[in-house]
Amino acid sequence: MVNKVLTRNIKAAIIAALLFISQLSTFMASATNVSGKTTFENPDFAFPENVEKDAMPHFKKAVFSKNGLEALKAAIQVVVARNLVSQSSFINNAEMLDSAANVLDAPYSQLFYLLEAALYRQLYQDNAWNYNQRLLPTDSLPADPLSWGRDQFCKKVLDLTEKAVGADAFSKAMPIKDIASVLVNSEQAEECGLAVYDFLVYSSVKNLKAFGNDIPDKMIPFGNVKSTSFSLPAQCSRKADSLLEGLYEYHKNKGNTAAEVVAGVEWAKNKEPIKQRAILNDLKDRLIHNEWDARPLHAYYPVSYTHLRAHE
């Protein structure tokens, strides 16, 4: 019998894991302080200049003392407040995040690189058509990203992604609940045993897929092709696939069953139908007698359900 409770839990965990810090910024920007008085603890984004004024000292102090979580909270407030005042604040925001990432210890340094990558991804998406028309070299990146082309954004986000998912021993060891104060609805992700590394991977995949959703298996006509032989958008797709596969294998080897199910389904969604079936059938066969039975996934992945039923 399908366990509906587990179905809801796994689905909620995926949703929580896919939350972007930049999306959280939007959430914070829409929140209002009923008192009309803004403070760092209770910011009122109706007065963005005051929010930045309150948050910046907290940010500087937190970075100096290497309090990563406090620095992250303050940085999000500053970025949101600046964006509400002026759309020309991008360079200052990116420099602020990068400087913090260079000082803080992992995994908070990784989270700052992730947030920086999300800013570049969002800037690209805001005017993607124009950026896609510019075929520019990537050996150097002009100071103003507004002058970039698509491939330059790809390269920047790829570089930041490598930094965001590096030093993974720290992010794998930290439960996602430890950063819950900057997440929304993370309770089910916590129950499924997700770590900060899961958050970094799923969020990085979302960043990378902004540059193309090609299925990696279709891009490999021959074996042993170096990744640098592919276009930069294709490299983004391949990197996203590699991250999902690595996360799935990690949880599989560690016996983190709930997190493995989440990673397995997310990876399968990135594959062609034949390989998708193989991944999902592997989950089903190994977990059929486990309380985290793979069958609950069928309830909200119709394609996966069809593929599995054809092989039962």
Side-chain angles (χ1 to χ4, degrees), residues 24-34 36-52 55 73-85:
L24 304 181
S25 301
T26 303
F27 167 82
M28 293 174 66
S30 65
T32 56
N33 178 340
V34 295
K37 181 180 180 181
T38 184
T39 65
F40 177 67
E41 292 74 20
N42 193 17
D44 186 349
F45 287 94
F47 305 95
E49 295 94 341
N50 292 338
V51 172
E52 180 182 359
K73 292 178 186 177
I76 291 173
Q77 291 189 22
V78 170
V79 169
V80 173
R82 285 176 174 174
N83 286 344
L84 289 173
V85 173

Side-chain angles (χ1 to χ4, degrees), residues 17-26 72 75-76 79-80 83 87 89-91 93-95 97-98 101 109-127 131 145 148 153-165 182-183 199-211 236:
L18 290 174
L19 284 173
F20 264 87
I21 297 178
S22 58
Q23 290 174 332
L24 304 181
S25 301
T26 303
L72 195 58
I76 291 173
V79 169
V80 173
N83 286 344
Q87 294 301 309
S89 61
F90 178 88
I91 294 177
N93 288 337
E95 290 177 349
L97 298 176
D98 198 69
S109 57
Q110 298 167 273
L111 289 164
F112 269 91
Y113 285 127
L114 173 69
L115 180 51
E116 186 181 355
L119 288 186
Y120 279 99
R121 185 267 308 163
Q122 186 61 61
L123 183 64
Y124 165 77
Q125 288 185 310
D126 286 345
N127 199 12
Y131 293 129
W148 292 5
F153 278 101
C154 286
K155 185 177 188 301
K156 184 65 175 182
V157 171
L158 276 168
D159 290 344
L160 289 169
T161 297
E162 291 292 347
K163 295 178 179 180
V165 297
V182 294
L183 301 179
F199 178 81
L200 289 166
V201 167
Y202 293 130
S203 298
S204 293
V205 167
K206 189 74 172 182
N207 278 341
L208 294 166
K209 282 188 166 292
F211 301 100
C236 287

Side-chain angles (χ1 to χ4, degrees), residues 50-61:
N50 292 338
V51 172
E52 180 182 359
K53 181 180 177 181
D54 289 337
M56 185 56 78
H58 286 271
F59 171 75
K60 292 179 178 178
K61 180 179 178 180

Side-chain angles (χ1 to χ4, degrees), residues 176-312:
I176 201 169
K177 67 180 179 62
D178 287 5
I179 62 168
S181 60
V182 294
L183 301 179
V184 177
N185 299 328
S186 63
E187 293 83 2
Q188 303 298 344
E190 296 173 28
E191 289 182 14
C192 287
L194 271 60
V196 171
Y197 185 70
D198 295 78
F199 178 81
L200 289 166
V201 167
Y202 293 130
S203 298
S204 293
V205 167
K206 189 74 172 182
N207 278 341
L208 294 166
K209 282 188 166 292
F211 301 100
N213 288 308
D214 293 333
I215 295 176
D217 306 314
K218 292 183 177 180
M219 302 185 297
I220 309 177
F222 309 103
N224 300 322
V225 179
K226 293 183 179 180
S227 61
T228 52
S229 302
F230 296 95
S231 69
L232 279 160
Q235 289 180 45
C236 287
S237 293
R238 285 170 57 80
K239 181 62 178 180
D241 185 70
S242 173
L243 287 173
L244 291 171
E245 179 181 10
L247 185 64
Y248 172 64
E249 292 296 335
Y250 169 73
H251 286 306
K252 178 180 176 180
N253 294 333
K254 295 286 287 186
N256 304 330
T257 309
E260 175 195 349
V261 170
V262 175
V265 172
E266 290 303 302
W267 183 37
K269 287 163 59 180
N270 200 49
K271 310 297 286 184
E272 288 190 300
I274 293 176
K275 292 193 175 182
Q276 184 183 90
R277 286 195 297 269
I279 295 168
L280 296 173
N281 278 317
D282 178 53
L283 272 172
K284 182 197 70 170
D285 293 342
R286 288 186 301 100
L287 305 179
I288 196 70
H289 299 300
N290 190 291
E291 66 170 318
W292 287 95
D293 194 318
R295 287 175 294 177
L297 298 172
H298 305 170
Y300 54 94
Y301 282 105
V303 174
S304 304
Y305 177 65
T306 301
H307 287 162
L308 286 176
R309 287 206 46 185
H311 288 75
E312 287 180 345

